[in-house]
Amino acid sequence: MVNIKPKRIYGLLESTSSIKSRIIISYAVITFLMLIPLGMVSYNSIGLSRQYNKIIYNVNYATTLNKKIKSDVGNLAWDIMAGKTTFEKSNPYKVIDEINNSLEFLRQNASSVENKRTMEIALRTMKTLSMYVDKLKQQINDNAPVDQNEQIVEEIRRVTSTLYEFEQDFIMMEIVNASFVNESIQSTQNLFFIAAILSLMLVVVFAFVTISSLMEAIRQPILKLENFAETVAQGNFYEKVELPKVKELTGLTSSLNTMSIKLEKLIHDSIEDEQNLKKAEIKTLQAQITPHFLYNTLDTIVWLAEDKKFKEVIDITRAFSMYFRISLSKGDDWIPISKEISHAKNYLTIQKIRYRDILNYTIEADEDIMDKMILKLLLQPLIENAIYHGVKRKRETGHVLVRVKKNENFIRFEITDTGKGMLDSEIEEVYKNLLNPPNDKEGGYGLYNVNQRLILYYGEMCSLKIKSKLNIGTTVYFDIPKGV
């Protein structure tokens, strides 16, 4: 550390005859002190920015790879089995090699040990995929029956779906890591602010040293500058200091006034950016729900059409169309409760057609609150969670009840299923996952996403609540103020 003693600086100032020279020396020392923390913070910021950009690149790369995994291999296998093409023309091994190379790239560039392990598992899964492709090729060469070939194609699709899940886990963890890096960036910004305040305090100290060697005529302007600097150091950025009559000090005073304005703007922009980034992260997590539902629904429409169940095709297509129309809502984040319930009903209609006899549902809602505005897309993730983690796990006909009721001060939204239910320890684990995104695909990102949005827009008191009994069912609910 550089050893700068006030007495030495005072002696240097005393050895100069002009006020201008003394101020120049003071400025030189002050600038040096301000550059040290600024350089350290800048160096740290550059490293964090590179890390953040690397994570974003990984997410984009993995998303592109996911599309290739989901469509290319399965479609090629199906086309080969159906006789639309041959192994020699389509060369599925080339696609497998490309996917292997991409997975290896993601493994080497993963931002965490967990994601490296995920990609290692995905690479091992690719060996299983290659084995099934080899088996399909052998069966086709041996003129095996079509039903045997279809079984292999289904296995290939199952493996590609597993790979798709691994990639989704990788993407989600990269997003989580990006949020951690973002927190570090925010900490760096806070460090910069603290460094600026400390540097400003040092400016005051050296200004005091300079005052002792200057003429009595400039004593009062310097004292005003000192008081102004202390005010800024306490966080009051709206105060301004009057320009002094001493020519040599007008530039310094003007710079301090400008710095106060910029510091205030920097803090305001930093808070606003953090809030906007949080909203963007939540919307990104919300978007992860869509692909699985889209593929499954389209698959359902296909097999209904193949079975010539045209009424069901019309019903599910109409519900599917209305589902996405309300999801988009012309870009609005707030919609009437009636539309939110309609959105939930469309989703349940689709799932009822898809799962047929294993799912029933009921919707109960007070009519006089239908025009109240609510943050959109809160019910569907909770219903999806009730179906996939409640009804389906019980392996028998289940029922989902959606209830929207008002009381004196709040409107309550409840999703109740007759599924497997949970132990108290499992409920406690879910509550933990509501505060931090879970590390595994079974952790419930839908619940986490809804909970974060409720807290962000309505406050902590409106977060998700859970009631459950083993082998009886689970209720997930939240309250929002009637006046919102």
Side-chain angles (χ1 to χ4, degrees):
M1 182 179 294
V2 180
N3 187 13
I4 301 177
K5 295 184 178 181
K7 289 185 178 180
R8 293 183 179 179
I9 297 174
Y10 181 82
L12 183 60
L13 292 173
E14 284 294 310
S15 65
T16 58
S17 56
S18 67
I19 296 176
K20 181 179 179 180
S21 298
R22 296 181 184 186
I23 294 178
I24 289 175
I25 293 173
S26 299
Y27 274 160
V29 174
I30 292 168
T31 301
F32 176 74
L33 293 174
M34 293 184 69
L35 284 177
I36 292 177
L38 179 61
M40 295 175 61
V41 173
S42 298
Y43 178 81
N44 190 32
S45 297
I46 291 173
L48 290 173
S49 296
R50 289 176 178 174
Q51 186 178 354
Y52 188 85
N53 292 335
K54 179 180 177 182
I55 292 175
I56 296 302
Y57 180 82
N58 286 347
V59 171
N60 292 333
Y61 191 96
T63 301
T64 302
L65 177 59
N66 244 359
K67 296 178 181 178
K68 191 177 190 67
I69 291 174
K70 192 66 177 177
S71 60
D72 288 8
V73 178
N75 290 342
L76 279 177
W78 179 266
D79 290 343
I80 291 171
M81 185 206 70
K84 296 180 180 180
T85 185
T86 64
F87 270 89
E88 290 72 23
K89 290 181 179 180
S90 59
N91 193 10
Y93 295 105
K94 180 180 178 181
V95 177
I96 291 174
D97 289 339
E98 290 174 356
I99 294 175
N100 274 323
N101 292 335
S102 298
L103 291 174
E104 178 60 25
F105 173 83
L106 291 176
R107 186 190 69 80
Q108 294 178 2
N109 290 274
S111 62
S112 67
V113 175
E114 289 80 2
N115 268 355
K116 287 183 182 293
R117 291 173 181 170
T118 299
M119 289 301 96
E120 289 171 358
I121 296 172
L123 286 168
R124 291 197 294 270
T125 304
M126 285 300 297
K127 295 179 180 179
T128 303
L129 179 61
S130 297
M131 179 192 71
Y132 281 122
V133 172
D134 290 339
K135 190 172 182 180
L136 178 63
K137 181 178 181 182
Q138 183 63 43
Q139 288 188 178
I140 291 176
N141 290 338
D142 295 339
N143 295 319
V146 174
D147 57 341
Q148 292 183 15
N149 292 339
E150 286 181 344
Q151 290 178 3
I152 297 301
V153 171
E154 287 302 316
E155 288 299 323
I156 290 174
R157 285 182 171 176
R158 182 183 62 79
V159 174
T160 56
S161 295
T162 302
L163 288 170
Y164 180 88
E165 293 295 334
F166 286 144
E167 285 299 292
Q168 287 297 95
D169 291 343
F170 178 90
I171 291 171
M172 192 61 63
M173 283 305 300
E174 288 294 304
I175 292 173
V176 172
N177 291 337
S179 68
F180 291 153
V181 174
N182 176 67
E183 291 177 359
S184 298
I185 292 175
Q186 297 301 322
S187 298
T188 301
Q189 290 179 341
N190 294 335
L191 180 62
F192 173 78
F193 175 73
I194 294 173
I197 296 298
L198 292 175
S199 298
L200 190 59
M201 293 176 66
L202 288 174
V203 169
V204 174
V205 173
F206 286 111
F208 181 79
V209 173
T210 304
I211 288 174
S212 64
S213 65
L214 296 179
M215 298 179 297
E216 185 65 23
I218 63 171
R219 180 179 295 275
Q220 290 304 318
I222 292 295
L223 291 176
K224 289 182 180 180
L225 288 177
E226 181 182 6
N227 293 332
F228 169 71
E230 291 177 352
T231 300
V232 173
Q234 294 172 1
N236 187 352
F237 302 104
Y238 299 99
E239 293 291 334
K240 299 294 180 291
V241 63
E242 183 182 359
L243 293 177
K245 297 179 180 180
V246 180
K247 182 179 179 180
E248 288 85 351
L249 295 176
T250 55
L252 174 61
T253 304
S254 178
S255 297
L256 286 173
N257 283 333
T258 302
M259 184 180 65
S260 175
I261 295 173
K262 289 184 177 180
L263 281 173
E264 191 276 332
K265 186 176 184 302
L266 176 63
I267 294 173
H268 178 270
D269 290 346
S270 177
I271 295 173
E272 185 176 2
D273 289 344
E274 184 177 1
Q275 292 175 343
N276 290 336
L277 181 59
K278 190 67 176 178
K279 293 177 183 179
E281 290 170 354
I282 292 173
K283 288 184 177 180
T284 301
L285 292 175
Q286 175 188 339
Q288 302 305 310
I289 303 172
T290 303
H292 299 296
F293 176 62
L294 176 62
Y295 299 143
N296 291 334
T297 304
L298 292 176
D299 285 342
T300 302
I301 293 173
V302 169
W303 64 254
L304 285 173
E306 289 175 347
D307 287 347
K308 297 182 180 180
K309 297 180 179 179
F310 300 122
K311 182 181 183 302
E312 287 85 351
V313 170
I314 293 172
D315 291 342
I316 193 172
T317 303
R318 182 180 292 115
F320 198 45
S321 174
M322 291 301 299
Y323 174 87
F324 279 103
R325 182 176 297 177
I326 296 175
S327 295
L328 295 175
S329 299
K330 299 180 180 179
D332 295 332
D333 288 330
W334 298 82
I335 60 176
I337 290 178
S338 59
K339 284 192 174 183
E340 180 68 10
I341 293 176
S342 178
H343 183 259
K345 183 177 180 180
N346 289 325
Y347 178 79
L348 283 165
T349 299
I350 295 169
Q351 298 294 45
K352 170 63 178 175
I353 294 174
R354 182 173 171 224
Y355 292 110
R356 290 177 287 187
D357 296 332
I358 71 169
L359 175 64
N360 292 313
Y361 69 89
T362 304
I363 297 178
E364 300 176 0
D366 292 338
E367 290 296 329
D368 56 346
I369 59 173
M370 291 296 100
D371 293 333
K372 294 285 186 180
M373 302 299 289
I374 185 177
L375 188 66
K376 71 178 182 181
L377 306 183
L378 293 176
L379 293 180
Q380 183 271 334
L382 304 184
I383 296 172
E384 181 179 12
N385 187 78
I387 294 174
Y388 284 89
H389 299 283
V391 173
K392 285 184 65 178
R393 289 189 175 182
K394 201 171 183 180
R395 301 187 179 277
E396 62 184 46
T397 301
H399 187 272
V400 174
L401 169 63
V402 180
R403 180 183 288 125
V404 182
K405 298 291 182 180
K406 65 176 182 178
N407 57 28
E408 184 176 355
N409 298 315
F410 292 89
I411 300 174
R412 172 161 295 185
F413 296 78
E414 289 184 356
I415 309 296
T416 301
D417 65 75
T418 59
K420 184 178 180 181
M422 292 183 290
L423 298 170
D424 291 343
S425 59
E426 293 175 311
I427 297 176
E428 185 177 349
E429 185 65 24
V430 173
Y431 275 123
K432 290 181 181 178
N433 290 338
L434 290 179
L435 301 177
N436 298 291
N439 293 324
D440 58 83
K441 63 183 180 182
E442 296 297 326
Y445 277 102
L447 292 182
Y448 170 78
N449 176 36
V450 171
N451 192 59
Q452 290 299 306
R453 295 172 70 216
L454 286 170
I455 292 173
L456 179 63
Y457 287 97
Y458 295 106
E460 292 282 350
M461 63 181 298
C462 297
S463 60
L464 290 179
K465 309 295 187 303
I466 302 171
K467 297 184 296 184
S468 184
K469 290 186 178 181
L470 193 62
N471 296 321
I472 294 179
T474 301
T475 297
V476 179
Y477 66 96
F478 62 90
D479 298 326
I480 63 170
K482 286 174 57 177
V484 176

